């Protein structure tokens, strides 16, 4: 009696070709999605808290810390080009750093530092036009004044509506500094006016 050979299940030649063609494409798509996600995701692992008399930023600038204040640093991108620093009272709940509406009562000042990509000949008037264009279109109520800080030049914008706040834009040689606070008070002025940028010093 002859034994019947068992047939091993196997893929047809066409199915094998399809798999060999599709597998590399799937891997490439997966890698592209992964790289794009890593580039866009905030770098929360780089966040840190600094206490003491002075904070030294990612770009080498220095800001004086008011008494009983700390600096909380984080980066918005993996390449660490967009640095955000929150100056707040020691022991401040980190969740409060996300609500700009309470910056004034809690004495929080936020600083964003990034490479200065403005044209080299950009002056204060051009800077003012750039940063207030949207506000003028919306009909926001605000006043603007020049803000000299040591060897640096900048502008300060005090908003009355739609909600009170103060902003300062400071031009460094290589870095653009943007400060935001709930009010123009002593703490805000102490922090902003203490900014020193060694690359811009004469």
């Amino acid at each position: 009696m002859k034994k019947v050979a068992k047939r091993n299940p196997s893929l047809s030649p066409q199915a094998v070709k399809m798999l060999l063609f599709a597998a590399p494409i799937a891997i490439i798509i997966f890698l592209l999605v992964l790289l794009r996600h890593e580039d866009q995701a905030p770098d929360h692992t780089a966040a840190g808290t600094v206490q003491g008399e002075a904070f030294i930023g990612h770009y080498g600038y220095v800001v004086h810390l008011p008494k009983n204040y700390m600096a909380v640093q984080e980066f918005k991108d993996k390449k660490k080009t967009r640095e955000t620093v929150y100056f707040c009272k020691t022991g401040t709940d980190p969740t409060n750093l996300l609500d700009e509406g309470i910056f004034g009562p809690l004495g929080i000042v936020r600083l964003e530092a990034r490479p200065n990509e403005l044209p080299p000949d950009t002056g204060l008037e051009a800077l003012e036009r750039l940063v207030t264009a949207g506000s003028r279109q919306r009909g926001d109520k605000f006043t603007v004044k020049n803000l000299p800080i040591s060897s640096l030049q900048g502008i300060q914008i005090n908003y009355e509506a739609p909600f009170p706040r103060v902003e300062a834009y400071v031009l460094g040689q290589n870095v653009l500094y943007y400060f935001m606070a709930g009010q123009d008070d002593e703490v805000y002025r102490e922090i902003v006016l203490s900014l020193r940028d060694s690359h811009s010093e004469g």
Side-chain angles (χ1 to χ4, degrees):
M1 188 175 183
K2 293 183 179 180
K3 293 183 178 179
V4 179
K6 294 181 179 179
R7 296 183 61 183
N8 292 325
S10 59
L11 297 174
S12 67
Q14 289 183 342
V16 172
K17 288 181 181 179
M18 289 290 290
L19 282 175
L20 291 175
F21 177 76
I25 294 177
I27 293 172
I28 291 172
I29 292 174
F30 173 76
L31 291 175
L32 288 174
V33 171
L34 183 63
L35 289 174
R36 183 175 179 185
H37 175 72
E38 287 184 352
D39 184 58
Q40 293 179 347
D43 187 7
H44 295 297
T45 60
T49 301
V50 178
Q51 296 183 16
E53 295 185 358
F55 170 78
I56 301 176
H58 175 67
Y59 290 100
Y61 63 88
V62 179
V63 173
H64 174 75
L65 293 177
K67 185 178 180 181
N68 299 322
Y69 260 64
M70 65 181 182
V72 180
Q73 176 196 51
E74 67 179 17
F75 294 90
K76 299 297 184 182
D77 61 335
K78 285 290 185 180
K79 295 180 181 179
K80 295 185 179 181
T81 60
R82 296 160 51 198
E83 178 187 25
T84 300
V85 184
Y86 298 91
F87 301 99
C88 54
K89 295 177 182 177
T90 303
T92 297
D93 184 343
T95 60
N96 291 332
L97 304 179
L98 305 177
D99 186 355
E100 297 177 356
I102 59 176
F103 277 18
L106 296 183
I108 298 172
V109 178
R110 184 180 66 207
L111 164 63
E112 295 180 7
R114 63 176 62 196
N116 184 2
E117 298 175 350
L118 298 173
D121 58 345
T122 299
L124 295 183
E125 291 183 4
L127 178 63
E128 178 184 339
R129 287 195 299 271
L130 287 171
V131 300
T132 62
S135 297
R136 294 186 192 278
Q137 289 180 350
R138 291 189 299 269
D140 297 345
K141 294 183 179 180
F142 62 88
T143 57
V144 183
K145 69 175 184 179
N146 289 348
L147 185 68
I149 303 174
S150 184
S151 62
L152 302 171
Q153 293 294 316
I155 59 172
Q156 177 173 305
I157 308 172
N158 290 72
Y159 286 89
E160 299 176 21
F163 66 92
R165 68 190 187 280
V166 58
E167 299 179 352
Y169 295 82
V170 183
L171 291 169
Q173 180 176 331
N174 303 314
V175 182
L176 176 62
Y177 303 96
Y178 162 56
F179 292 89
M180 201 283 280
Q183 56 193 10
D184 183 359
D185 58 11
E186 183 178 347
V187 169
Y188 161 79
R189 290 191 292 271
E190 182 176 351
I191 290 172
V192 174
L193 296 179
S194 72
L195 173 66
R196 294 296 180 270
D197 183 341
S198 59
H199 299 289
S200 302
E201 297 290 337

